[in-house]
């Protein structure tokens, strides 16, 4: 029988693992037995998260990095290998996001989101590849979204970047299958993390209210509630586990039915 949740002896690296969904993923992977490294730019995000994970009995380390910088990403993977001896699971979760009209989106703002979400996912996957290959395989999971399935006004940068992440997922899955590296993505629906609440600032004046309205979820999300970081963590852990052995190039929507119903995703 295939074991779902046995990651004992595995080492996972979660970018953006100090906050929101990334912390939920790190928590889930650690609960399944993995040693977890969490990486992002700000120690004030990483250190409290590491303390929280350790308090739950997790083996965890932190790495300060900026996924927009390929050299920093290479050093991040080296540091994980030094600290834990291997790398089995990479989760590309780091992202930046905010609402902005395309007509006035500055080149810097466009670059910041596309470089973080898309370039960062590629740099991390490319840096992890030789180590995973030398170990005989690995799992890469990128966190995508659903907004680009239908288009989403004021999100040109993020929807373009995440569409690229989906394409990258399928292409890397084919290129690296022979190395026993699976490459998949998880597309979350609406999860009211602190990060996403900050992103929902004007010009979409309607948006901040959504997170204050309990009845919104009951009315508008088919499964009747907001998502949680643990919902995404469960899917990532499934893909990282032996149950995910024969799954590659797939993109799993975890959204309570939101995008199918045509609601905010
Ligand atoms: P979040 O808490 O703001 O997470 C973003 C994380 O990325 C932070 O920990 C941040 O840490 C890190 N990060 C940002 N820029 C970085 C950089 N250049 N280098 C390294 N790390 C960087 O938001 P979230 O809601 O949990 O989102 C997590 C993921 O889920 C994202 O990929 C997002 O697109 C996706 N998603 C979220 C939702 C939702 O409703 N929440 C829906 C669909 C998809 P530092 O500031 O310390 O660098």
């Amino acid at each position: 029988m295939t074991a779902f949740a046995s990651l004992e002896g595995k080492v996972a690296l979660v970018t953006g693992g100090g906050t929101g969904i990334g912390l939920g993923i790190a928590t889930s992977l650690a609960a399944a037995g993995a040693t977890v490294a969490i990486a992002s730019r700000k120690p004030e995000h990483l250190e409290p998260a590491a303390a929280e994970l350790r308090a739950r009995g997790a083996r965890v380390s932190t790495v300060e990095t900026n996924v927009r910088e390929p050299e920093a990403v290479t050093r991040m993977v080296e540091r994980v290998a030094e600290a834990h001896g291997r790398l089995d699971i990479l989760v590309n979760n780091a992202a930046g996001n905010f609402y902005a009209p395309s007509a006035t989106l500055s080149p810097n703002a466009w670059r910041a989101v596309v470089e973080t979400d898309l370039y960062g996912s590629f740099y991390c996957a490319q840096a992890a590849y030789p180590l995973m290959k030398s170990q005989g395989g690995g799992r890469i999971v990128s966190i995508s979204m659903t907004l680009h399935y239908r288009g989403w006004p004021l999100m040109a940068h993020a929807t373009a970047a995440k569409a690229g992440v989906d394409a990258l997922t399928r292409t890397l899955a084919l290129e690296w299958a022979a190395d026993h590296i699976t490459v998949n993505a998880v597309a979350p629906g609406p999860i009211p993390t602190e990060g996403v609440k900050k992103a929902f600032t004007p010009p979409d004046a309607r948006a901040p209210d959504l997170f204050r309205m309990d009845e919104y979820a009951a009315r508008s999300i088919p499964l009747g509630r907001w998502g949680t970081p643990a919902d995404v963590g469960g899917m990532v852990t499934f893909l990282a586990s032996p149950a995910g052995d024969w799954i590659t190039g797939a993109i799993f929507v975890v959204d309570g039915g939101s995008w199918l119903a045509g609601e905010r995703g």
Side-chain angles (χ1 to χ4, degrees), residues 35-125:
T35 297
V36 180
I38 54 175
S40 78
R41 295 163 303 176
K42 299 178 187 160
E44 63 268 31
H45 286 156
L46 294 173
E47 295 312 328
E52 184 184 320
L53 288 163
R54 285 186 193 112
R56 292 165 180 255
R59 291 174 300 276
V60 57
S61 66
T62 61
V63 191
E64 279 175 53
T65 198
N66 185 340
V67 298
R68 293 173 65 182
E69 297 169 3
E71 301 80 13
V73 166
T74 301
R75 282 197 302 277
M76 168 185 74
V77 170
E78 285 168 359
R79 285 197 47 199
V80 173
E82 280 160 23
H84 306 297
R86 56 189 295 117
L87 174 60
D88 303 285
I89 301 152
L90 165 68
V91 184
N92 290 315
N93 165 82
N97 214 348
F98 48 86
Y99 269 21
S102 299
T104 53
L105 185 66
S106 72
N108 269 349
W110 167 266
R111 238 188 333 262
V113 171
V114 176
E115 285 187 4
T116 307
D117 298 19
L118 177 57
Y119 291 24
S121 298
F122 180 68
Y123 297 151
C124 291

Side-chain angles (χ1 to χ4, degrees), residues 57 90 108-109 116 148 152 171 191 220 225 240:
L90 165 68
N108 269 349
T116 307
H148 54 292
W152 206 262
T171 295
I191 300 178
S220 305
R225 64 166 176 85

